[in-house]
Amino acid sequence: MTFENRTWTISEAPFIPNKLHHTETIFTVGNGYMGVRATFEEGYPAELVSTLLHGVFDHAQGELVPELVNVPNPLPVIVEVDGEAFHMTHGTLHGYNRTLDLRKAMLERGVIWRNRKGTIVQITFQRFASLELEHVLAQRITVRALNRPCQVRIFASVDATQTNSGVAHFAQLKAAISEDRVSVSGQTGQSHYDVAVASTLQAGDPACKMRPADQIELQPALQAECSLEKEQMATFYKYSAIHSNRDTADPLAAAHKTLDACVARGWESLAAAHEREWDVYWQGSDVEIEGDETAQRGIRFAIYHVLIAAPRHDEH
């Protein structure tokens, strides 16, 4: 990696479990409307899952102060290889790297994983919170068969079981599922904010079989299945839209409309527009430090987190 690239990237390799909460914070993605903590798509023991909408607060009974509400988690994606679900604690991890590209505001995690049956795959997870379409969280998952043919199944869900460290802020939640979409909508108990999170799963190969997964309460999911030959790769796209009644009268309808736009445009268009918006931001905000790589990367990391933490789409 060149000096220039190093000053724009924060990387983790190998994975260090006892720094889990630290790196979940460091690798957060956001856009000023939402902030999404860098938990793994498949989950991990003792993780701190958090998706926050800036400005959506609630004061739960018995709590001293209002707090930002942890909304339903749009991230979950389970990758099954020959019937075994990928997880960082199962099977054998032969390679791991996670990188946050500050210039593009794109988080990428790559693993080489061997399941208990001996099948070895390369899995890459990418995500960004769009700076162009502030209600969009986009994910791309690629699976490559490395040593032999395999069967791959993807489960993509919205998880509404999240709380604020045990404090539940939603008085009511409703999950829905259709052929190509899942959603969770609800209202906070004290502040009466309506929030909707909707997701769709798309496969790069139209031959992949797509259908709703078995219903789990407050965790609606979609699934896709395909067969891979050795060295073949499958790509899947998960788009999530998040809206509240701070920005629209009907958050669920708005979320579905946003997903329509995501599906029509696709990953390449969404990612390119997102990167262009970040390029404009960096042109006006970057600070250059000569002769000190650590300081240069540090100031860019701080500037990145200033943007993702502060609302920029309204005056509230």
Side-chain angles (χ1 to χ4, degrees), residues 257-289:
K257 185 175 180 180
T258 297
L259 287 184
D260 289 341
C262 291
V263 173
R265 290 177 55 182
W267 173 274
E268 297 300 335
S269 172
L270 292 170
H274 164 72
E275 292 174 19
R276 285 195 298 269
E277 288 294 321
W278 271 95
D279 186 55
V280 171
Y281 175 68
W282 284 117
Q283 288 180 28
S285 303
D286 190 27
V287 175
E288 295 186 355
I289 300 175

Side-chain angles (χ1 to χ4, degrees), residues 82-141:
D82 289 337
E84 182 177 341
F86 162 72
H87 200 277
M88 297 282 289
T89 62
H90 302 158
T92 303
L93 201 64
H94 290 290
Y96 170 91
N97 183 275
R98 180 162 54 163
T99 299
L100 175 63
D101 187 323
L102 299 170
R103 179 159 29 202
K104 298 179 180 179
M106 180 84 70
L107 180 63
E108 179 174 314
R109 174 171 57 121
V111 299
I112 296 177
W113 181 68
R114 181 182 185 272
N115 71 6
R116 294 184 179 97
K117 297 177 181 178
T119 304
I120 303 174
V121 293
Q122 180 182 34
I123 309 174
T124 304
F125 301 91
Q126 295 171 290
R127 73 177 73 151
F128 65 90
S130 175
L131 197 61
E132 179 216 9
L133 300 176
E134 66 268 20
H135 300 282
V136 172
L137 176 72
Q139 296 167 263
R140 179 165 67 178
I141 305 95

